[in-house]
């Protein structure tokens, strides 16, 4: 096997069945990175505890998410796929890193302030330390590359600062400063055509939905708001359905819709039906693989446990070096 370019780490909270936003914004890239990098993909269940109201769905959400990842092409023989809490060394490293992290910097972060605004009644200690735990996630596995959208850049910069502080304070080089691999992540809009697609807004299209459910959801999509009647010409440039066609439909069909929409040659209903057909076709292999994997739920847990075993080996090695650097007796 050709030498890989580096080691990638990425984590996502267990949100259950994945939607088109997750797919285009994260999973597709996860799959592609496997070719060039050692890849470590983590379902960050401890992070989820900072905001969830109940943990009763945590296990099922973890399972469904792992299922979608594997069905979409993450290869567990190559990638390490695991659950954050299965490698408890991360909490130990989090504690040690917290000693070199200025509190003021954490409470100044825009993401923290936003969380406080969203949920003023639940400003817990874990929420403040979220970026420290995120740093621990990355550096525990000596990942040098973190794929993130440009909006996440401040977090990676912060992780680098924590690493520098740690290495400086303990006169060591044991922790690696991660590099950000800026990826062009599209902001996928929901069926409302306005807000970012997400589960909480119920404006999402699930990858695992049936073809019929998918079509039903697509028929509810908001198109060019100026186009009221079938005979009105439309503007594909402001239409979320058209932006999806550009991703999932053949080039000649995209061109035809672009032209015909502008002169009212094609209506929104027909345009949506075409998108539904093309998306369903695109998702056929995913759904077939998912159905096959679903026949044996134990397999998913076996994959996650095997991933944790492999992750734990790297983690324990790092922690031995870290404990020595800190001179813990
Ligand atoms: P997390 O908080 O762990 O990032 P999310 O479920 O919000 O959990 O997102 C998981 C991944 O999917 C992230 O990489 C995120 O950027 C991506 N993602 C989620 N929704 C969208 C969307 N509507 N458009 C683009 N990317 C998205």
């Amino acid at each position: 096997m050709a030498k890989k370019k580096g080691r990638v780490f990425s984590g996502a909270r267990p949100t259950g069945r994945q939607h088109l936003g997750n797919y285009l914004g994260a999973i597709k890239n996860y799959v592609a990175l496997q070719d060039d990098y050692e890849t470590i993909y983590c379902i960050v269940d401890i992070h989820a505890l900072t905001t969830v109201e109940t943990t009763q769905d945590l296990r099922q959400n973890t399972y469904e998410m792992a299922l979608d990842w594997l069905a979409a092409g993450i290869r567990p023989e190559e990638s390490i796929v695991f659950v954050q809490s299965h490698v408890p060394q991360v909490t130990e490293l989090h504690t040690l890193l917290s000693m070199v992290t200025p509190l003021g910097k954490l409470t100044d972060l825009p993401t923290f302030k936003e969380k406080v605004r969203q949920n003023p009644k639940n400003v817990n200690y874990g929420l403040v330390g979220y970026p420290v735990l995120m740093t621990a996630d990355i550096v525990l596995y000596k990942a040098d590359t973190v794929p993130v959208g440009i909006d996440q850049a401040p977090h990676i910069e912060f992780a680098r600062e924590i690493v520098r502080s740690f290495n400086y304070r303990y006169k060591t080089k044991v922790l690696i400063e991660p590099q950000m691999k800026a990826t062009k992540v599209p902001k996928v809009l929901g069926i409302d055509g306005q807000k970012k697609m997400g589960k909480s807004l119920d404006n999402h299209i699930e990858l695992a939905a049936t073809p019929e459910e998918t079509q039903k959801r697509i028929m509810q999509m908001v198109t060019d708001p100026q186009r009221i009647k079938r005979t009105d010409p439309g503007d594909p440039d402001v239409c979320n359905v058209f932006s999806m066609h550009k991703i999932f439909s053949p080039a000649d069909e995209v061109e035809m819709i672009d032209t015909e929409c502008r002169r009212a040659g094609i209506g929104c209903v027909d345009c949506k039906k075409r998108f539904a057909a093309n998306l369903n076709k695109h998702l056929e292999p995913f759904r077939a693989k998912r159905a096959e994997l679903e026949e044996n739920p134990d397999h998913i847990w076996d994959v996650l446990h095997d991933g944790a075993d492999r992750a734990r080996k790297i983690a324990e090695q790092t922690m031995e070096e870290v404990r020595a650097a800190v001179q813990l007796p």
Side-chain angles (χ1 to χ4, degrees), residues 138-139 143-146 156-157 159-165 167 173-180:
I138 301 165
V139 301
D144 47 30
T145 310
V146 184
I156 302 305
E157 196 40 56
R160 290 164 62 87
E161 279 174 33
I162 296 176
V163 167
R164 284 199 293 272
S165 300
N167 285 349
K173 287 186 178 143
V174 45
L175 299 184
I176 298 175
E177 265 184 62
Q179 303 283 336
M180 180 177 113

Side-chain angles (χ1 to χ4, degrees), residues 10-15 18-27 30 44 130 185-190 196-198:
S10 187
R13 287 173 302 135
T15 49
Q18 301 290 283
H19 53 70
L20 272 185
N22 300 131
Y23 175 63
L24 298 171
I27 303 170
Y30 283 7
V44 291
Y130 197 111
V185 261
K187 181 174 160 190
V188 180
L189 299 180
K196 193 173 160 184
M197 184 179 285

Side-chain angles (χ1 to χ4, degrees), residues 28-171:
K28 215 172 149 194
N29 192 32
Y30 283 7
V31 173
L33 285 166
Q34 297 179 116
D35 295 336
D36 295 328
Y37 291 85
E38 281 181 41
T39 38
I40 305 183
Y41 297 129
C42 182
I43 300 180
V44 291
D45 57 340
I46 306 177
H47 279 295
L49 300 181
T50 55
T51 50
V52 292
E53 279 163 24
T54 159
T55 50
Q56 70 188 13
D57 297 330
L58 212 50
R59 191 178 161 81
Q60 183 66 15
N61 283 345
T62 299
Y63 167 78
E64 297 269 1
M65 186 150 139
L67 188 57
D68 280 352
W69 280 6
L70 299 195
I74 291 180
R75 304 184 287 272
E77 325 73 63
E78 292 166 46
S79 294
I80 297 182
V81 185
F82 75 109
V83 178
Q84 186 183 29
S85 66
H86 292 179
V87 187
Q89 283 86 343
V90 77
T91 58
E92 182 185 358
L93 184 57
H94 165 256
T95 304
L96 296 178
L97 294 180
S98 73
M99 309 301 172
V100 298
T101 309
L103 181 60
K105 282 215 156 188
L106 289 170
T107 50
D108 273 351
L109 283 174
T111 39
F112 173 70
K113 290 184 174 161
E114 179 58 28
K115 286 261 154 70
V116 174
R117 250 196 309 277
Q118 283 169 359
N119 207 346
K121 291 214 178 89
N122 186 19
V123 185
N124 57 71
Y125 177 65
L127 205 56
V128 186
Y130 197 111
V132 187
L133 183 57
M134 195 182 112
T135 305
D137 281 325
I138 301 165
V139 301
L140 182 61
Y141 304 105
K142 300 208 168 168
D144 47 30
T145 310
V146 184
V148 283
I150 209 77
D151 56 327
Q152 281 285 318
H155 277 132
I156 302 305
E157 196 40 56
F158 195 63
R160 290 164 62 87
E161 279 174 33
I162 296 176
V163 167
R164 284 199 293 272
S165 300
F166 181 93
N167 285 349
Y168 179 76
R169 167 133 171 214
Y170 298 113
K171 300 184 180 49

